Structures are given as structure tokens and as C-alpha cells.
Amino acid sequence: MKKIIFTAVFVLITISLFSQKNTGYYSMYERTIDINQKSMAFGLTEAEFSAIKDEAYANVNFVPGKIFQEDQLIKDDVPMRYNAFADEIEIKRNTSDVSYSALIKDPNIFVKIFKDIYVFVPYEGSNEKGGYFAVLNDGKTYDLYKKTTAIYREPHKGRTSYERDTPPSFTKTTTYYLVQNGTFMEMPSSKSKVLKMMDKKKGEVKNYIKQNNIDTDKEADMIKLVSYFDSLL
């Protein structure tokens, strides 16, 4: 993957990643995640939290993934999944492990979970304010990124006998971004606004949308469209 160029200079985290003591691999584990602490943080019982926790993930199950530092593969077959609420890549040392940790957030490190590539992007030079994005298209001029966010909804008690109680839940939203040299432009869903974003090649893009029945509400079609637009530049 080509190296992402950021418009602002960011400060790399000062924690030393390299560890020679045990495995010879980079120390990628930021911290251990305690499930019980999570349930208490939401004011829920362990059973209540267990009933909804899967909703917070882009992929519920831990699947074998790869960890890269820049373009160098540093560890393979790592069980991992993306937590869209905490905005973290959760990883295990072994598939059989019950406990798991969070991958250290570093713009030089990206992961591939099955077919999905996740990169960490700092915000205004800060890693703490940054977040993970899935790379859907890696073009020569424009990339297409996806941001999946899970928002916690508190339980709601019906005020009358006619109003139902609402249980706690996580609600996921997806936002797409056209990215050029570290500048993120949110992709609209309407075709007219998408065409406006691609004004440089509006005629060609408009014909491509018509000829290929492109639906900008569909992710697969959005990937095709951005890939085509990028090929024209």
C-alpha cells in the first residue's frame, strides 16, 4: 500500500515498539481489555452487556489477520476484529485465548482483516484524536475510505403503558470519504452531489453512472465509481 501523506505534520508516539525479550516481534499490545469493566462502564449487568456487545463490531468474530508496519509484514495469522464503538483493533495472542488486547494506535501500522484493510489516521497531529478507516480503494490520486461508527443507545423506560421500553443497544453508521493527500472529503449519497465532487471529469463520470447503473447508496458501486474517476486523472 502506498504511504499516506498527511497534510499536517504529526508527532509519532514515543513508546518504543520493538521488543527483543520474548518473541522478537514488535510489542503491539496496547492494553488488556476487561469485559467486566466494559459492562460496568455502561451501567449494565454482565448479562445485559453480553446481549448487545456483538452489535459494536464491524466483524463479530476474531479472524486471522496480518499486521504491517508501513509496507513490511511484521506478524501473520493474528486473531483480530474491529470494534466500531471503541474504534480499536482488538487482537488475541492465540485463537483459544479468552482475554484479548487492543492494538497500539500508530499511523505506521495497518492491518488486514480477511479482505478489509484498516489504517490509523491521526487528527490534527494527534494520535489520541485519530481513528481507524477501512481502505476500499487505493488509487493513484484519490482513495476511498470507510468509517464505521457504533453509538451506544441507553435503555429507555416507557412513560406510559402504551409506550414500549427500549433496551440498550449499539447503532452502527457508515460514512465514506474521498481522500487526496490526507485531505478527507465526505462522500454524499445523492448522485448529483457525487458528480459535483468529481467535477473535473463530470461528463465521463455521468456517462459511466448511466451506462453501468451505478447506485451511489451501494458500497460496491461506490468503489467502482471512485476507481473509474481515479483512472481518468
Side-chain angles (χ1 to χ4, degrees):
M1 176 184 294
K2 68 177 185 294
K3 189 174 182 180
I4 302 169
I5 305 173
F6 297 102
T7 53
V9 177
F10 56 81
V11 181
L12 289 175
I13 53 174
T14 57
I15 300 173
S16 175
L17 294 177
F18 194 69
S19 172
Q20 296 282 357
K21 292 181 180 179
N22 297 318
T23 63
Y25 290 115
Y26 285 84
S27 178
M28 300 163 291
Y29 303 88
E30 183 179 42
R31 60 185 171 78
T32 299
I33 296 171
D34 189 327
I35 295 293
N36 293 325
Q37 288 182 351
K38 279 193 169 187
S39 62
M40 289 187 291
F42 292 112
L44 303 175
T45 64
E46 191 174 340
E48 287 173 330
F49 180 71
S50 295
I52 66 168
K53 65 180 182 180
D54 288 354
E55 300 169 8
Y57 294 92
N59 53 295
V60 176
N61 298 317
F62 282 89
V63 297
K66 303 175 186 289
I67 301 177
F68 298 82
Q69 185 185 29
E70 296 182 344
D71 290 330
Q72 184 70 38
L73 176 65
I74 60 174
K75 195 159 178 61
D76 199 357
D77 292 325
V78 180
M80 61 176 72
R81 63 183 179 180
Y82 175 60
N83 185 325
F85 173 77
D87 197 17
E88 292 178 334
I89 304 294
E90 296 178 349
I91 55 179
K92 291 183 177 183
R93 295 182 184 275
N94 299 290
T95 306
S96 59
D97 288 350
V98 175
S99 62
Y100 53 91
S101 305
L103 180 68
I104 194 164
K105 294 181 177 181
D106 185 333
N108 288 320
I109 294 176
F110 70 92
V111 302
K112 187 172 184 180
I113 306 175
F114 192 48
K115 294 181 180 180
D116 297 323
I117 295 173
Y118 288 91
V119 296
F120 179 77
V121 182
Y123 179 72
E124 295 182 342
S126 170
N127 280 3
E128 290 184 5
K129 296 179 182 178
Y132 284 103
F133 294 81
V135 181
L136 301 181
N137 185 72
D138 186 26
K140 64 180 188 294
T141 303
Y142 286 99
D143 302 327
L144 180 63
Y145 283 14
K146 177 174 73 172
K147 181 66 178 177
T148 303
T149 305
I151 300 171
Y152 174 66
R153 305 291 185 188
E154 294 185 351
H156 175 72
K157 188 75 174 176
R159 290 171 293 183
T160 68
S161 58
Y162 299 100
E163 188 175 337
R164 292 182 178 180
D165 295 345
T166 304
S169 64
F170 287 101
T171 304
K172 283 197 286 288
T173 59
T174 302
T175 308
Y176 298 92
Y177 295 91
L178 195 63
V179 183
Q180 182 184 32
N181 293 337
T183 300
F184 285 63
M185 296 166 283
E186 185 174 336
M187 293 287 289
S189 57
S190 70
K191 290 180 182 178
S192 60
K193 291 181 179 179
V194 169
L195 283 170
K196 191 174 181 179
M197 287 188 75
M198 301 179 178
D199 197 52
K200 294 178 183 178
K201 299 292 181 180
K202 185 175 180 179
E204 294 96 321
V205 171
K206 188 174 182 179
N207 288 334
Y208 181 81
I209 290 174
K210 184 178 180 180
Q211 292 171 5
N212 294 275
N213 297 315
I214 296 296
D215 185 348
T216 52
D217 286 329
K218 294 180 179 179
E219 183 175 295
D221 282 6
M222 186 70 82
I223 294 171
K224 291 177 184 177
L225 182 60
V226 171
S227 178
Y228 175 72
F229 173 59
D230 184 71
S231 71
L232 298 173
L233 303 173

